[in-house]
Amino acid sequence: MTSSQDEHPTFDTGVAHVARVYNYWLGGKDNYPADREAGDQAIEAYPDLVLSVRANRAFLARTVRYLAREQGIRQFLDIGTGIPAANNTHEVAQSVAPGCRVVYVDNDPVVLSHARALLTSKPEGATDYIDADLRDTQKILAQAARALDFSRPVAVMLIAIMHAIEDDDDPYAIVAALMDAVPPGSYLALSHVASDIVPAQAADMVRRLNRLMFEKTTPRSQADVARFFGGLSMVEPGVVRVQQWRPDTETEATTPSSMWGGVGRKG
Ligand SMILES: C[S@@+](CC[C@H](N)C(=O)[O-])C[C@H]1O[C@@H](n2cnc3c(N)ncnc32)[C@H](O)[C@@H]1O
């Protein structure tokens, strides 16, 4: 059954939560035994998982750098921020252009408790944090307007979050609502757990996580992930394994992952 939008994850350390499990995989300290148990169960099913998570994090940094440096994007709406780690969106964007404005959105209370670390903007730019559920796009768009100018291009970042939205919550309509709100010249950057890169391992990993973790994971195929970019022009090389999206080094390009990622342009 799908959880309702009011169902805000509580600060229950006895049940694994995706933000803390992801923090564990990245080598962070903001996690508890239940998170580590779920994290280890998943690694047992898919031993390359930690490399895959790192490849996703590198994809996040490359897409932000590409958008800021090569496309001149100065506004980012990063939904599903996660517990701060190395190379958060505003750090990467403002290293290219200090005037970048970044709005973070997450619904996890632990991420909220770390919001201060995300609000360390360079004086020329701005950062803001919204405590909201991705499914409540109206709230997100209304509050994001505090820091973002929706008459100018915005990069909507949905990195490793859409697989936390079940089919019953119409994930495609959520992405369409966000992209409808931004003007031509805006971008969508998205990555997603794949059902069809290492199918047997991914299915086992997801089965274990869904037994132990509060948020349920829905892996999707390359074709289903490509549907999130409906109506947008794909930036080369399209929807690919995250490590193959414009890698900077041979090591980045050859790191294993079980995630699809891509960037599309509106208008
Ligand atoms: C796997 S982490 C990804 C972090 C970061 N985007 C990255 O790729 O490194 C997913 C994040 O999405 C958040 N999240 C999951 N479902 C959400 C929802 N329905 N609304 C808002 N945030 C959500 C989790 O709390 C978590 O922090």
Side-chain angles (χ1 to χ4, degrees):
M1 199 178 81
T2 295
S3 46
S4 86
Q5 285 179 15
D6 318 327
E7 205 176 315
H8 197 288
T10 49
F11 188 67
D12 177 0
T13 58
V15 177
H17 280 261
V18 64
R20 300 189 310 235
V21 174
Y22 189 79
N23 171 266
Y24 172 58
W25 289 329
L26 280 175
K29 305 243 172 300
D30 295 286
N31 48 74
Y32 297 87
D35 306 309
R36 296 192 279 276
E37 169 62 17
D40 286 340
Q41 284 269 336
I43 292 169
E44 212 176 283
Y46 173 46
D48 283 335
L49 179 55
V50 169
L51 292 172
S52 179
V53 166
R54 287 198 196 133
N56 176 66
R57 200 66 203 172
F59 170 80
L60 165 66
R62 288 200 305 280
T63 56
V64 172
R65 213 173 297 120
Y66 166 82
L67 292 166
R69 187 180 289 156
E70 296 187 38
Q71 301 304 331
I73 292 292
R74 296 292 178 263
Q75 305 193 99
F76 294 83
L77 178 56
D78 179 340
I79 309 175
T81 304
I83 294 168
N87 294 327
N88 300 300
T89 297
H90 74 288
E91 292 160 347
V92 177
Q94 292 186 344
S95 73
V96 176
C100 284
R101 307 176 75 82
V102 178
V103 172
Y104 289 111
V105 183
D106 208 290
N107 69 341
D108 191 291
V110 177
V111 180
L112 174 64
S113 75
H114 284 278
R116 209 173 328 130
L118 298 167
L119 300 175
T120 55
S121 176
K122 295 209 168 152
E124 301 92 324
T127 54
D128 198 0
Y129 184 88
I130 303 173
D131 177 29
D133 192 301
L134 168 57
R135 292 167 292 182
D136 193 351
T137 51
Q138 286 195 351
K139 174 177 174 183
I140 291 172
L141 291 169
Q143 296 196 9
R146 292 192 301 235
L148 303 181
D149 173 357
F150 279 93
S151 69
R152 300 175 69 80
V154 176
V156 176
M157 312 289 303
L158 292 168
I159 308 296
I161 183 171
M162 290 313 299
H163 48 249
I165 304 295
E166 296 174 65
D167 289 338
D168 286 351
D169 282 323
D170 203 349
Y172 296 100
I174 290 172
V175 176
L178 294 169
M179 295 313 293
D180 277 352
V182 294
S186 295
Y187 285 85
L188 169 66
L190 183 149
S191 67
H192 197 294
V193 171
S195 60
D196 52 349
I197 292 178
V198 281
Q201 290 182 330
D204 190 20
M205 172 182 77
V206 167
R207 210 170 16 249
R208 291 165 181 238
L209 286 173
N210 285 350
R211 248 197 336 256
L212 296 171
M213 209 164 65
F214 176 81
E215 299 86 356
K216 302 303 164 213
T217 301
T218 303
R220 295 189 172 93
S221 66
Q222 186 176 22
D224 285 343
V225 173
R227 276 183 60 208
F228 285 114
F229 295 92
L232 306 180
S233 315
M234 291 312 295
V235 170
E236 286 298 319
V239 174
V240 294
R241 297 166 197 219
V242 285
Q243 71 274 28
Q244 283 163 6
W245 197 89
R246 297 173 177 251
D248 287 327
T249 62
E250 188 55 25
T251 308
E252 272 192 354
T254 53
T255 302
S257 93
S258 59
M259 296 193 68
W260 298 118
V263 175
R265 184 179 197 275
K266 179 173 176 175

